Amino acid sequence: MAKKRVVSATINGEVVEFLCEPRQTLLEVLRDTLDMTGTKEGCSNGNCGACTVLLDGRPVVSCLVLAMEADGSEIRTIEGVARGSHLDEVQQAFLEGAALQCGICTPGFIMQTEALLQANPNPTEEEIRFYLAGNLCRCTGYDKIVRAVQAAAQKRLATT
Amino acid sequence: MPRVFLPPALRSLAGGQESLEMPGSTVREILAELERRHPGVQAGLCQGDGLRPGLAVCVGGAVSTLGLLQPVGPDDEVHFLPAIGGG
Amino acid sequence: MATADKRPYKVIGTRPVRHDGADKVTGRAKYGGDMRLTGMLYGAMVRSPHAHARIVSIDTSQAEALPGVRAVVTSADMPAQGDRVVELGEGAANMRHLTANILARDKVLYRGHAVAAVAADNVHIAEQAARLVRVEYEVLQPVMNVLDAMRDDAPILNDDVRTESLGAAPQSPDQSRPTNIAKHFLFEKGDVAKGFAEADLVIEHEFDTAMVHQGYIEPHNATALWNTDGRITIWMSTQGSFTARQQTAELLRVPVSSVKVVPMEIGGGFGGKISVYLPPVAALLSRKTGRPVKLQMSRADVFEATGPTPGSHMRLKLGVTRDGRITAGEAWIAFDAGAYPGSPVGMACMCVFACYDVPHGRVEGFDVCVNKPRTNAYRAPGSTHVAFAIETIVDEICEKLGLDPLEFRLKNASREGTRRVDGPVFPRIGMVETVQAIRDSQHYQSPLAGPCRGRGVASGFWFNVGMKSSVTATVNLDGTVSLIEGSTDIGGTRTSIAMQLAETLGIAAEDVNPTVVDTDSIGYTDVTGGSRVTFATGIAAVEAARDIQRQMVQRAALLWDVDPAAVKYDDGRLLGPAGKQFTFKELAAEIHQTGGPIIGSGTSSSATQGGAFGTHCVDVEVDPETGKVQILRYTIAQDAGTAIHPSYVEGQMQGGVVQGIGWALNEEYWYDDRGTMRNATYLDYRLPTCYDVPMIETMIVEVPDPQHPYGVRGVGEVPICPPPAAIANAIYHAVGVRMRRLPMSPPNLLSEILQRFQD
């Protein structure tokens, strides 16, 4: 086993230092070392999108990022989406639109949506479906997720 | 009188009938009478003092949770069916 | 639709935010995989690389010697079961088979079959140690196809299996040879030969469907602590904490009371999270180490070693008169049960003709062992397979006779009083209403133009079950109610149960706080499955609310010094003589002064559901050069009885449809000739993504079920049944090819298209 190294990253606005082995993924460190279990594990090979986080603003599947690669980066996870005790527009739209059933894919969808709306504040349905195609949901049939993304986008546009 | 429907595998024991009228106020009573008139039927439907595993009894249109203890009304139909689960 | 605009309810039919919603959009909700305990060890399983082999020896010494490894277990650590058949909540199980599926004893029967397990300080050491367990195998010939497995010379999986026939006395194992055909079902109604003689047109075809997986995003997991006092606690994701408790106790041969199952949030199930796989193993590892042990499956393990739904071979024959009246039907259905008996073929037999009034019918079914994982329930188990067969034949009949497919369905639909081929008579059901809804829909009424485009319709049926549920509810001083239930919440049922309690008490849904608790904290409750929770746990909640009403009436009577008979509970108010009145909140504030806590309890056990029907309409476009099918538009009409929370009813309908689209167009277990699944990843198995599907238009039809106080029918399962048939019919109308094999994936469809152009 290779020696552990110290990694430093900014997670949800706070500088965090942690020890990790070279073989550990960012997902594993978030969940097991830092106890941030809001980021979910669905397949651990990059296929389902449940573990999506934002790495320097880009959406990544954290199961395919080695924790050491995150050194010096800025990471945003589902735990950092709400502003204090207020849900953000995407979270609120998912709740009000019943866009979740079991909820295991929801953190990943919310993070992917945050990235989408950052890049494209007023996406078409086609653009939403294309951008979210890497996130699997087995419960909803996607209808209410796509509508929630549309609702969140409209709400943000109306308030900015 | 209650009408009991036999699984096809048992119909030969009762002269090929699909169903027959059988007196009794519980499934157990009806089965006992059925066995008296058509010996062998009970071995196909019961094990110990209950229904065979995987088998359910449907009385009056409803799958019973009481099994052999289920009361049977005079106009009820009694069916023996595979137990239903679900996803 | 139907009664929607005449609704007498205040809470039912509204769309409150779900009670567990905030936790689930912030990442706070704790799922099984999120469990962390002090001193917790991580486990890994050793799994068979062969589909069929005898275990010659297992050497765990190298694994045990690896630093950081704390324990290794094999089947030798599992108690012997003998010939026991035990009722486990969702049907009876042969314990010898169940235990061999948890940890293989003398044979492995499918690739991925668990052989041993390791607990170590972290998951990497555990996985490394698992690779150091040496298992010597004598490889045997696998049998992968249901028809091959039925042949006399087929390799036999289980020496103890003899064919059991529904209603026939069991064969003695000494007097007969082992077989892969575990069960035989036969249903007969009327005189089939006479029925077919009366037909002007008889259509008969054979159908094949591939094994598919439920595909829930959360892998199976279990964390177990076998405490020094002998008590075992399991934290896990499960559809049924009580059946998980019972299975674990029976497998470990400990009293059921010594096991407590704590249901964590669950990331999907669809029938696949009823059987236990990991809890007994985690418990044994915990007993050996004295520490809590967590096991979690990889995605490949989930595909290879849990309980997908069977592949099938079916032969179906339907006779009709010239004017489109069904005269007779006959079906022969064989399901691959997987390694051990127990496929839902009996239910498939009961579903195949359920949508129609078939005067003469005969259905035969076979449950057949093959070298694939032991199958399990998947959303309306068995019904999707047979809907594919019957509904495509109905479409062909309509085409040949020049009849509208919806008018044909209306003419032949099952209604109240129709006798099913398996015997019983339908109560009030909504098949006709769902067909009418689609007939009158904007979708069906609109034209579809364009090359290689087609429209298809299909209907489907599922029983829905009742079974047992318990609810307790405590009135708080501020007039809210805390609701305790045992139904794990997979899709928002905390809210649909709370709404029924709120409606009955005349309070707001937000004033009910529902909590799902462990098996020591609530009465027995059956699985979240069979479309039963909103129905049966709902009945228990209504009973609990009525219990509270009775106690509140007594408290008001005490305060007013009147006879309780003079007090009436009406819409959240207590009305007494001479205009005396309390609101629920006002009286709740008085409960400590009038006799102390008010706790209502309710159970449901005898109610059974009347059945659920749905009719679907789909437009597709086929690319004739690749065989790829694009869903252009999809509408589903389904009888929900009474929709408690319409958003989550729609969600079940939409989710079921998209699973059905996946089953229809892509999904399959793709095996090589050695019995290895070659697509055991999401990338290769390919669930539908949001880019593959359009919005799913929903039409909630409401034909109340008289067995439920508010008329609820379960909605979770039946939406998956019609899609493969509806899409097959649409494909035919687009390119003239009748598909009789699932999936209708690009290569499968393209080969049929090319065949047609050659002919």
Side-chain angles (χ1 to χ4, degrees), chain C residues 571-582:
Chain C
D571 192 21
R573 290 171 307 158
L574 291 111
L575 306 178
K580 289 183 200 303
Q581 182 174 332
F582 279 123

Side-chain angles (χ1 to χ4, degrees), chain C residues 247-368:
Chain C
Q247 290 176 62
T248 304
E250 296 287 359
L251 284 159
L252 296 172
R253 304 211 79 160
V254 297
V256 76
S257 60
S258 66
V259 178
K260 173 163 84 175
V261 171
V262 184
M264 308 294 287
E265 295 302 330
I266 170 171
F270 314 108
K273 286 184 185 155
I274 297 171
S275 277
V276 305
Y277 304 95
L278 302 176
V281 181
L284 289 173
L285 289 168
S286 177
R287 186 172 62 177
K288 277 199 169 179
T289 58
R291 292 165 64 172
V293 176
K294 180 181 169 189
L295 283 169
Q296 181 170 312
M297 290 193 187
S298 70
R299 181 51 51 182
D301 292 350
V302 172
F303 278 117
E304 293 188 333
T306 62
T309 208
S312 67
H313 181 83
M314 300 174 282
R315 193 167 63 237
L316 202 97
K317 184 173 164 186
L318 201 61
V320 292
T321 59
R322 204 166 287 109
D323 62 345
R325 175 76 60 187
I326 295 174
T327 62
E330 191 169 2
W332 188 98
I333 305 163
F335 274 15
D336 50 12
Y340 302 101
S343 80
V345 69
M347 294 184 267
C349 293
M350 295 157 80
C351 289
V352 59
F353 294 123
C355 288
Y356 302 106
D357 184 357
V358 177
H360 306 282
R362 183 176 197 278
V363 184
E364 208 172 355
F366 299 88
D367 183 43
V368 185

Side-chain angles (χ1 to χ4, degrees), chain A residues 32 40 102 129 138 144, chain C residues 31 34 36 214 650 690:
Chain A
D32 292 347
K40 299 302 176 192
C102 82
R129 289 186 179 278
R138 191 58 155 172
K144 293 189 191 309
Chain C
Y31 291 75
D34 302 333
R36 305 285 181 277
Q214 297 87 353
E650 293 160 5
C690 64

Side-chain angles (χ1 to χ4, degrees), chain A residues 123-145:
Chain A
T124 63
E125 183 189 336
E126 168 89 1
E127 287 166 342
I128 293 169
R129 289 186 179 278
F130 186 75
Y131 203 90
L132 297 181
N135 291 70
L136 297 177
C137 170
R138 191 58 155 172
C139 296
T140 64
Y142 302 106
D143 183 299
K144 293 189 191 309
I145 292 177

Side-chain angles (χ1 to χ4, degrees), chain C residues 430-446:
Chain C
M431 167 72 180
V432 167
E433 287 81 354
T434 68
V435 177
Q436 288 168 338
I438 288 294
R439 183 194 59 192
D440 301 339
S441 68
Q442 202 254 338
H443 181 174
Y444 195 71
Q445 295 294 332
S446 69

